[in-house]
Amino acid sequence: MIDFPTWAVAGFWGLVSGSALLLGAGIGYFAHVPQRLIAAVMAFGSGVLISTLSLDLMEEAYKKGGFDSTAIGFVGGAAVYTAANWLLARYGAKHRKRSGEHQAQERQAVQQNQPTSSDDNGMALAIGALLDGIPESIVIGLSMLAGGSVSIVAVVAIFLSNLPEGLSSAAGMRKAGRTPIYVLGLWGGIALISGVASLVGYSVFSGFSPEVVAATTAVSAGAVLAMIADTMIPEAFDVAHNFTGLITVLGFLVSFVLSKMGG
């Protein structure tokens, strides 16, 4: 049996979880999935992520670094994500996760305000997708620091949450007139970067103190929670309405069961 370096294993599992973005994007662009189903899947993915960051990431961060490192990292991650998301919204990437007509309207507004721009809001969408995907992928690499083996629960949870993200965003991009090359190229690139981010999460932080690792884990958790509240829940509630809470709870339960099975 070939014994691969741990950093390569971290990159592989990051790529596996990131591949769900490309898979979801392909389904969302070509399959014309009903919006209500997309919203339901988005709510389910939100519940999965909330469970993972609550029961896995934050608990692990607290065990390694205590309350101070965990609290500072958690709030800091949310603050950085919120600031970056606010800036991207000004350049036309506010509705990058929406499956309806929001992206089309946003793209048209940017084109009207910037008639000489050939890129409209394409770059902002790409940076926004990167902003949403990086914190989750780093978590996979960080999860390997303790014993050298990946947290399968984290990989499965992130895979399950990435699928609806790519699905919803690609459906909205299709309605905004984006080409298949742009959409699949964007999400394929993010999937590759997810693998790199996971590799970096392990390689860079393997030599740092437990407090630094704890703070970094909490930063990722804070950024993920802010992302859920800012981009995933709005899309789910906009279509699923009163069923959003129930579906989110089911997603939380599935992730909870996986964590107990993994433990």
Side-chain angles (χ1 to χ4, degrees):
M1 182 181 294
I2 301 176
D3 189 15
F4 291 100
T6 307
W7 58 265
V9 176
F12 169 77
W13 286 114
L15 184 62
V16 168
S17 64
S19 66
L21 292 168
L22 181 59
L23 177 61
I27 295 173
Y29 194 92
F30 294 109
H32 299 270
V33 182
Q35 253 190 288
R36 189 172 291 275
L37 179 57
I38 294 176
V41 177
M42 186 68 83
F44 186 86
S46 299
V48 168
L49 274 181
I50 292 172
S51 177
T52 302
L53 67 90
S54 302
L55 305 176
D56 192 5
L57 302 186
M58 291 297 287
E59 186 65 27
E60 187 64 26
Y62 178 74
K63 288 179 180 177
K64 287 183 177 179
F67 180 77
D68 291 344
S69 296
T70 302
I72 293 172
F74 190 61
V75 176
V80 169
Y81 178 89
T82 301
N85 193 48
W86 172 81
L87 183 62
L88 286 169
R90 300 190 61 179
Y91 287 91
K94 180 179 180 180
H95 299 299
R96 59 186 179 275
K97 294 279 184 67
R98 308 302 293 268
S99 61
E101 302 294 338
H102 302 81
Q103 290 194 50
Q105 296 168 359
E106 194 169 45
R107 185 182 187 186
Q108 184 178 18
V110 171
Q111 289 173 331
Q112 290 175 349
N113 294 331
Q114 301 175 11
T116 60
S117 173
S118 60
D119 181 58
D120 51 63
N121 63 338
M123 182 59 69
L125 286 174
I127 296 174
L130 189 63
L131 175 68
D132 296 336
I134 290 299
E136 301 172 358
S137 302
I138 290 178
V139 165
I140 294 177
L142 292 174
S143 73
M144 298 183 66
L145 292 177
S149 60
V150 71
S151 170
I152 297 299
V153 174
V155 172
V156 172
I158 293 172
F159 186 95
L160 290 176
S161 65
N162 279 343
L163 191 65
E165 289 183 46
L167 181 70
S168 180
S169 182
M173 288 178 180
R174 184 192 70 240
K175 294 176 181 178
R178 300 288 178 186
T179 65
I181 294 176
Y182 173 88
V183 175
L184 298 182
L186 170 62
W187 289 112
I190 300 301
L192 290 174
I193 293 173
S194 295
V196 174
S198 182
L199 184 154
V200 169
Y202 174 80
S203 301
V204 172
F205 293 96
S206 58
F208 283 85
S209 66
E211 289 76 14
V212 173
V213 174
T216 305
T217 303
V219 165
S220 298
V224 169
L225 184 55
M227 182 268 290
I228 293 169
D230 286 350
T231 65
M232 295 182 70
I233 293 296
E235 165 63 14
F237 184 78
D238 189 51
V239 180
H241 299 305
N242 295 332
F243 292 98
T244 303
L246 176 60
I247 299 170
T248 303
V249 166
L250 292 176
F252 186 101
L253 179 61
V254 167
S255 184
F256 174 76
V257 171
L258 287 173
S259 68
K260 294 307 177 184
M261 290 175 63

